[in-house]
Amino acid sequence: AVWWPAAHMAFVADVHFGKAATFRHAGLPVPSGTTGDNLARLDAVLQVTAAKHLVFLGDFLHARPGADAALWAQLIPWRERHADVQMTLVRGNHDQHAGDPPQALGMALVDEPWRPVEGAHVLACHHPQFFDEDTVLAGHLHPTARLFGRARDSLRLPCFAWASGLVVLPAFGAFTGSAPDHLPAHTQRFVVTDDAVHRI
């Protein structure tokens, strides 16, 4: 997540709610419980930041088959517990196919690019892109970095990717996959561990 203290806003990207359910609808055996895990980590973001506004940078939903009654039975009570937090979804490519969340989630729906604070040089997008004089917060790429040890072991970690005018957030969802090789050229990476962010 990215925390913007002056605006009281927290940003996350690529939660992909309903992805595991979509796979199960297709007959693929995948673990359950990812929705609960995602919601618990969103709770932690809101608790740590005391954010007044939570912005989803696209791909809130994964696909239409996963946006079923079981998903809303978890999401709607979660939303009710955070009724005092404003929430906005910047639609991503998966959202276009899955459809908008129900009105019961009380979420503002916008298209990219969206300026979250009038007059500020920050744009919220799903797809990484560049605009003159603005910094873009985006997702879509699910960036990761692979670290190698001395014994040919390796570890892949989610990362933030930074280039002048662009910050790409790691995928927030617990079951999203990653694409380590699709970042813009000359991007700096900051890997995420349990309790810290490290520049590499």
Side-chain angles (χ1 to χ4, degrees):
V2 164
W3 168 229
W4 186 2
H8 305 286
M9 285 184 176
F11 298 80
V12 297
D14 300 284
V15 181
H16 285 270
F17 280 120
K19 182 173 182 178
T22 299
F23 280 43
R24 286 193 292 273
H25 278 292
L28 300 173
V30 297
S32 60
T34 56
T35 297
D37 179 67
N38 289 336
L39 293 177
R41 290 185 299 109
L42 285 171
D43 284 340
V45 169
L46 294 175
Q47 181 177 3
V48 167
T49 64
K52 296 179 181 178
H53 194 160
L54 177 61
V55 179
F56 295 91
L57 298 173
D59 290 1
F60 180 80
L61 297 172
H62 181 72
R64 196 174 298 274
D68 57 14
L71 178 65
W72 307 130
Q74 294 182 75
L75 288 185
I76 291 173
W78 173 83
R79 181 65 179 105
E80 291 171 348
R81 291 197 303 274
H82 298 289
D84 58 333
V85 178
Q86 185 178 351
M87 296 189 187
T88 298
L89 168 61
V90 181
R91 293 182 181 96
N93 54 299
H94 279 266
D95 300 305
Q96 301 290 349
H97 299 292
D100 290 335
Q103 291 184 352
L105 285 186
M107 187 174 293
L109 305 172
V110 299
D111 294 319
E112 64 179 1
W114 176 64
R115 194 175 302 278
V117 175
E118 194 63 36
H121 291 288
V122 174
L123 293 174
C125 297
H126 175 63
H127 298 91
Q129 51 200 293
F130 293 92
F131 291 88
D132 292 340
E133 300 182 357
D134 288 309
T135 293
V136 170
L137 300 177
H140 186 58
L141 297 181
H142 302 197
T144 60
R146 186 183 293 275
L147 306 181
F148 294 92
R150 295 176 180 168
R152 294 188 179 180
D153 55 339
S154 66
L155 178 65
R156 179 175 289 179
L157 294 171
C159 74
F160 293 89
W162 179 84
S164 182
L166 176 66
V167 179
V168 182
L169 280 67
F172 192 87
F175 183 58
T176 54
S178 61
D181 301 321
H182 299 297
L183 292 173
H186 311 297
T187 300
Q188 297 183 43
R189 300 184 191 196
F190 297 80
V191 297
V192 183
T193 59
D194 288 341
D195 59 358
V197 177
H198 307 270
R199 180 176 177 175
I200 60 170

